[in-house]
């Protein structure tokens, strides 16, 4: 055979194989159909016309004065969200007994919260890409600090919403095998889990304001200002944040959200919180309603602590691991730490894999410096 034709034949086979693999993966990864979700969502207060809605008017995309700015950002700023060198990783420490109040951050929004001797795993994502395909989509900027099968046994797994960077099919499958804890999720997400083989007995679906008790913890589904969707149709499942309250300590996990006045309501009802994990990254002028910026995250911490900015410890999340916006890689924590210092909020920025004792945090190392 002509060498050029042979090469073209091989490349063609590889290309077809790549396309076939992607096509095979995507339908399962996208998850449940609207018809599977509908029976669980019907009757929920903010579910209308087969869609969930924010309690505050919100847009997922806001045009700016310069209508070409988003295209310009894609073309000219798409790579500035990558670090200039390898991101350092800490070796995760998992004491035999969970602590009084601690957190291990694995990157992006994935975190292990220890509270009153119990463990809660939040928004676990261990895949290489946050996409319906393992071949395309935003890829990790650093490796996982720990293998998923090496995680300690947890008491609960909470998920904030169904976006790929927060709910991952492969991770769910691995946790189903290696963990026994229930998945506590907002209304509608249970349909995804059932479709992926999670046993019904391990699925707890909650509406905003509803709670469940697990191992002496009260876990409450609280509002977020965001949206959902894994395919072309949006808002068929609910999105949330999570309040985790033990006998003596409390933590708030923000997941992914825009700034909302509901933070103050949550703080007044369930706070003040000893620990908050709040998103600081992937913000942009085009989507201010559904991704808050670092200064808003600091403000949210104070709201959740009943107006006391100096109460508790703030851990920034939702940054560093995936390039999802147009700001520089370290900008979220540079702005967050500066805003926190201005109002006296205690903030700690762990490196991926690092465990932080929230009651006695060690000295902060600015490990992110010079990486943007």
């Amino acid at each position: 055979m002509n060498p050029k034709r042979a090469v073209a034949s091989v490349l063609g086979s590889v290309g077809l194989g790549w396309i076939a693999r992607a096509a095979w993966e995507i339908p399962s990864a996208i998850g449940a159909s609207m018809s599977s979700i509908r029976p669980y969502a019907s009757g929920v207060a903010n579910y209308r016309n087969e869609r969930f809605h924010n309690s505050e008017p919100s847009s997922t995309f806001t045009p700016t004065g310069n209508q070409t700015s988003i295209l310009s950002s894609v073309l000219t700023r798409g790579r500035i969200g990558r670090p200039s060198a390898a991101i350092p990783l800490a070796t995760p420490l998992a004491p035999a007994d969970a602590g009084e109040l601690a957190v291990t951050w694995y990157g992006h929004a994935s975190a292990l919260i220890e509270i009153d001797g119990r463990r809660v795993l939040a928004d676990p994502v261990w895949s290489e890409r946050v996409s319906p395909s393992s071949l395309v989509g935003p890829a990790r900027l650093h490796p996982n600090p720990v293998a998923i099968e090496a995680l300690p046994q947890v008491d609960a797994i909470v998920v904030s919403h169904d976006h790929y960077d927060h709910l991952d099919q492969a991770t769910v499958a691995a946790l189903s095998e290696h963990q026994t804890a229930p998945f506590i999720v907002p209304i509608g997400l249970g349909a995804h889990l059932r479709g992926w083989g999670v046993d019904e007995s391990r699925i707890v679906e909650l509406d905003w304001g509803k709670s469940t008790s697990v191992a002496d913890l009260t876990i409450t589904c609280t509002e977020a200002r965001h949206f959902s969707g894994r395919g072309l149709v949006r808002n068929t499942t609910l999105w949330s944040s999570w309040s985790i309250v033990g006998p003596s300590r409390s933590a708030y996990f923000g997941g992914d959200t825009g700034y909302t006045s509901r933070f103050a309501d949550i703080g007044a009802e369930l706070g003040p919180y000893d620990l908050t994990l709040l998103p600081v990254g992937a913000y942009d002028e085009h989507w201010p309603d559904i991704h808050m910026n670092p200064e808003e995250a600091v403000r949210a911490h104070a709201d959740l602590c009943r107006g006391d900015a100096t109460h508790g410890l703030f851990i920034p999340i939702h940054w560093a691991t995936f390039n999802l916006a147009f700001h520089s890689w370290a900008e979220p924590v540079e702005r967050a730490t500066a805003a926190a210092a201005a109002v006296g909020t205690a903030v700690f920025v762990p490196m991926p894999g690092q465990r932080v004792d929230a009651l006695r945090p060690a000295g902060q190392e600015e490990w992110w410096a010079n990486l943007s």
Side-chain angles (χ1 to χ4, degrees), residues 92 106 121 126 143-152 171 174-175 178-179:
Y106 299 116
L121 183 62
W126 256 252
N144 284 300
V146 63
I148 197 164
E149 60 269 19
L151 291 173
T171 302
L175 291 173
H178 296 290
Q179 297 280 341

Side-chain angles (χ1 to χ4, degrees), residues 181-205:
F183 290 83
I184 305 174
V185 299
I187 294 289
L189 265 70
H192 295 313
L193 303 184
R194 293 180 194 95
W196 296 336
V198 178
D199 191 271
E200 181 69 37
S201 65
R202 292 182 61 183
I203 301 172
V204 179
E205 289 184 80

Side-chain angles (χ1 to χ4, degrees), residues 8-92:
S9 178
V10 170
L11 292 176
S13 297
V14 171
L16 288 174
W18 188 91
I19 293 170
R21 179 180 169 189
W24 179 82
E25 291 177 331
I26 289 172
S28 177
I30 286 176
S33 64
M34 289 180 62
S35 61
S36 299
I37 296 168
R38 189 181 302 115
Y40 299 89
S42 297
V44 175
N46 69 330
Y47 185 73
R48 302 182 301 275
N49 300 319
E50 298 190 328
R51 300 290 187 277
F52 286 94
H53 302 267
N54 284 307
S55 60
E56 295 181 42
S58 305
S59 172
T60 56
F61 183 83
T62 302
T64 65
N66 180 4
Q67 296 303 305
T68 63
S69 62
I70 186 68
L71 178 59
S72 174
S73 294
V74 170
L75 295 175
T76 64
R77 308 187 68 218
R79 292 191 58 83
I80 71 167
R82 304 181 65 86
S84 59
I87 298 170
L89 304 180
T91 301

